[in-house]
């Protein structure tokens, strides 16, 4: 039902910023909680941030709290992840995902996934 297309990844240096964007197809975008996950080579996919449907309540994993900001624009069917003060540990493929569960933070609660965008932070 939902197709997600991500963009905005790239190669940056420690301390730099990136803004990831994800555009969703369909007319029910506002009814989906949107999340960002990341996966480094050899690592499991991990939760980064999510913004709920309805009240747009946000949540972040501790390692990015204070540095990353998730936002959504329901009129444009987009969700963004502003990443500041990037660290080498942030290097990963970043995925956006959609869930019908309002406060979902686990991968198995998300039904639709984007193709991923590579973020590389040099030390």
């Amino acid at each position: 039902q939902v197709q997600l297309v991500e963009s905005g990844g790239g190669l940056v240096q420690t301390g730099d910023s990136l803004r990831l964007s994800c555009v969703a197809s369909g007319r029910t975008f506002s009814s989906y909680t949107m999340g960002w996950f990341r996966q480094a080579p050899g690592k499991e996919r991990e939760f980064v941030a999510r913004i709920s449907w309805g009240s747009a309540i946000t949540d972040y994993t501790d390692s990015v709290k204070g540095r990353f900001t998730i936002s959504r624009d329901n009129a444009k069917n987009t969700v963004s992840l502003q990443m500041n003060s990037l660290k080498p540990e942030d290097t990963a493929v970043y995925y956006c995902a959609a869930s019908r569960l309002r406060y979902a933070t686990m991968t198995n609660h998300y039904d639709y996934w984007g193709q991923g965008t590579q973020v590389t932070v040099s030390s």
Side-chain angles (χ1 to χ4, degrees):
Q1 183 178 348
V2 178
Q3 294 185 5
L4 308 172
V5 180
E6 299 160 313
S7 62
L11 173 62
V12 298
Q13 294 181 310
T14 298
D16 285 352
S17 297
L18 279 175
R19 186 176 180 87
L20 307 183
S21 296
C22 176
V23 60
S25 66
R27 297 177 294 164
T28 60
F29 174 80
S30 63
S31 296
Y32 284 88
T33 283
M34 300 298 299
W36 286 96
F37 292 77
R38 65 188 181 188
Q39 187 168 23
K43 306 292 185 180
E44 293 186 353
R45 190 170 300 182
E46 67 171 351
F47 167 77
V48 177
R50 70 103 173 89
I51 183 165
S52 71
W53 65 265
S55 298
I57 303 299
T58 59
D59 193 23
Y60 302 89
T61 191
D62 286 343
S63 63
V64 309
K65 204 166 297 182
R67 299 188 296 123
F68 291 10
T69 302
I70 188 171
S71 61
R72 68 190 297 161
D73 186 338
N74 290 336
K76 297 182 178 180
N77 282 14
T78 59
V79 61
S80 299
L81 185 68
Q82 178 67 43
M83 305 185 295
N84 298 328
S85 302
L86 283 163
K87 306 174 181 179
E89 306 91 88
D90 297 318
T91 296
V93 176
Y94 283 70
Y95 301 88
C96 65
S99 174
R100 293 290 295 180
L101 294 176
R102 181 177 289 186
Y103 303 117
T105 58
M106 297 190 297
T107 58
N108 62 356
H109 289 159
Y110 284 79
D111 304 303
Y112 304 98
W113 296 84
Q115 80 287 351
T117 185
Q118 177 71 48
V119 172
T120 303
V121 185
S122 63
S123 59

